[in-house]
Amino acid sequence: MPLLKLGCLHADITTLAVDAIVNAAKPSLLGGGGVDGSIHRAAGPRLRMACMPLGGCATGDAKVTPGFDLLARHVIHTVGPVWQGGQAGEAGLLASCYRRCLSLADDLALRSAAFPCISTGAYGYPATSAAQVAVATVREHGATLCQVEEVLFCCFSVADAAIYQQLLAGSPAP
Ligand code: AR6
């Protein structure tokens, strides 16, 4: 069983040539702003067509489509929780997003996947707490019999990348 390698980078996720990029989508899966809007623009209109029959996606769940015009072969769409102060099960739902995405990637025998910082934009989840959930959940998955060999945390800001760098180095986040 290969060991799961974790990394982070400061990039636009639509430029990554990985087996799957993850989209921080809305429940309708029909496109929106933020990373969702960028992914739909870069993938082209066939992505929305592929999302239409999926029947939406519940918070904490994930669904997969082809990547169409993207370099990534697949898009795994997940719906993160809206931050409500931290007492509404947000951490569990966010962890579920990472688990479900990795489980779909395993089902498809994908080797590499890149995640944006799910829920930390329009949905308001504090960046450091979200990164702690993300890294812990992906590490837990890596301790199972998983197919995925490399997970990248794709940060759109230098500040987010610094948080992940510290967490991946084993230090407490800033
Ligand atoms: N590449 C990587 N990360 C990005 C990119 C990009 N091109 N663009 C933004 N980010 P958000 P959410 C980062 O708001 O909080 C949408 O309208 C961004 O800096 O995209 O889960 C959906 O349709 C932030 O760190 O997603 C939903 O309605 C992270 O991606 C809702 O927003 C997530 O920010 C989902 O909200």
Side-chain angles (χ1 to χ4, degrees):
M1 176 186 57
L3 285 175
L4 177 61
K5 201 170 106 193
L6 273 63
C8 73
L9 76 173
H10 175 214
D12 174 346
I13 202 165
T14 64
T15 65
L16 300 184
V18 285
D19 288 343
I21 60 170
V22 172
N23 182 17
K26 62 190 343 162
S28 70
L29 296 186
L30 298 181
V35 70
D36 193 9
S38 296
I39 288 173
H40 274 268
R41 272 191 300 279
R46 287 178 297 168
L47 182 60
R48 194 169 189 276
M49 301 286 286
C51 285
M52 282 168 75
L54 297 180
C57 182
T59 301
D61 199 1
K63 297 202 173 168
V64 68
T65 65
F68 299 106
D69 295 343
L70 290 162
L71 293 173
R73 286 196 289 129
H74 303 272
V75 178
I76 303 176
H77 307 261
T78 190
V79 180
V82 176
W83 181 255
Q84 296 175 62
Q87 303 301 313
E90 293 96 325
L93 288 166
L94 187 61
S96 171
C97 289
Y98 285 89
R99 270 197 301 273
R100 289 287 303 130
C101 289
L102 290 169
S103 156
L104 285 175
D106 277 341
D107 291 347
L108 293 166
L110 306 186
R111 295 165 73 162
S112 58
F115 285 89
C117 305
I118 300 165
S119 280
T120 65
Y123 282 0
Y125 207 119
T128 300
S129 310
Q132 285 165 338
V133 170
V135 171
T137 307
V138 173
R139 279 190 174 138
E140 272 164 30
H141 187 82
T144 67
L145 269 175
C146 68
Q147 300 275 327
V148 180
E149 293 172 15
E150 183 174 26
V151 167
L152 293 171
F153 297 105
C154 179
C155 302
F156 207 45
S157 73
V158 173
D160 283 341
I163 294 170
Y164 276 93
Q165 261 160 20
Q166 288 215 16
L167 286 171
L168 294 177
S171 320

